[in-house]
Amino acid sequence: MAISAPNTIHLKGEYKREEFLTAEAITPGHLCQAYNASGVEKVKKHPTAKGFTEKMFAVEEALLGKVIGDAYASGDRVPVNIYQSGAEVYAWLKAGTNYVVGELLESAGDGTLQKNSGTADLQTVANLLEATDLSASGAVATRARVRIH
């Protein structure tokens, strides 16, 4: 039986909600990083592949009628959740790989997650909860259920 796609990024678990101005286009489900730009707190897609990061994901602005497919443009206010270990999120996976359930995932450096290179546990962001085959030619980044590490 196929599992239907969720209509929200936050699936379950504990998190802290923050809101930032975006420094670039961001779509709900992207792994994000906050930074200070000339005294203004902003957020961007996590830019460092295999790099340590908070477990911060952009989420939809449901109170304004936005859904997970509604992207935020540079300069928009974007709500993000900073997740605790064990929480479940509908996050973006990088294309080009066949992912299996239980796969350890790290930042791919573009807001998506990729297979963990196995070099450091601190780099692990999440574990994959559903098999997702993105290995075919022409595959594109896709959201999948993950459990925060």
Side-chain angles (χ1 to χ4, degrees):
M1 178 173 121
I3 299 173
S4 64
N7 60 3
T8 183
I9 298 304
H10 172 76
L11 301 176
K12 72 177 188 180
E14 298 293 320
Y15 64 89
K16 177 182 173 187
R17 173 70 54 99
E18 296 279 343
E19 189 174 273
F20 298 95
L21 292 176
T22 61
E24 62 185 337
I26 293 176
T27 303
H30 274 137
L31 177 65
C32 295
Q33 175 181 318
Y35 70 101
N36 191 305
S38 303
V40 178
E41 288 269 30
K42 291 191 174 188
V43 71
K44 60 185 173 184
K45 292 177 221 164
H46 187 261
T48 309
K50 304 176 186 178
F52 176 78
T53 182
E54 285 186 289
K55 281 68 172 191
M56 177 188 294
F57 290 85
V59 297
E60 71 281 2
E61 184 61 91
L63 294 176
L64 297 179
K66 303 286 185 180
V67 296
I68 65 173
D70 292 332
Y72 298 97
S74 181
D76 285 353
R77 287 205 158 284
V78 60
V80 297
N81 290 348
I82 303 167
Y83 286 96
Q84 300 282 330
S85 181
E88 294 181 10
V89 178
Y90 198 41
W92 287 101
L93 295 180
K94 186 170 189 74
T97 302
N98 181 21
Y99 297 93
V100 297
V101 173
E103 198 93 62
L104 296 178
L105 304 169
E106 66 189 8
S107 174
D110 60 1
T112 64
L113 301 177
Q114 65 185 7
K115 283 186 180 186
N116 188 297
S117 59
T119 57
D121 190 46
L122 288 176
Q123 296 168 198
T124 301
V125 173
N127 298 70
L128 188 63
L129 296 176
E130 60 184 330
T132 308
D133 188 356
L134 301 178
S135 63
S137 173
V140 296
T142 301
R143 288 188 197 94
R145 290 173 177 84
V146 302
R147 181 173 294 121
I148 300 301
H149 194 262

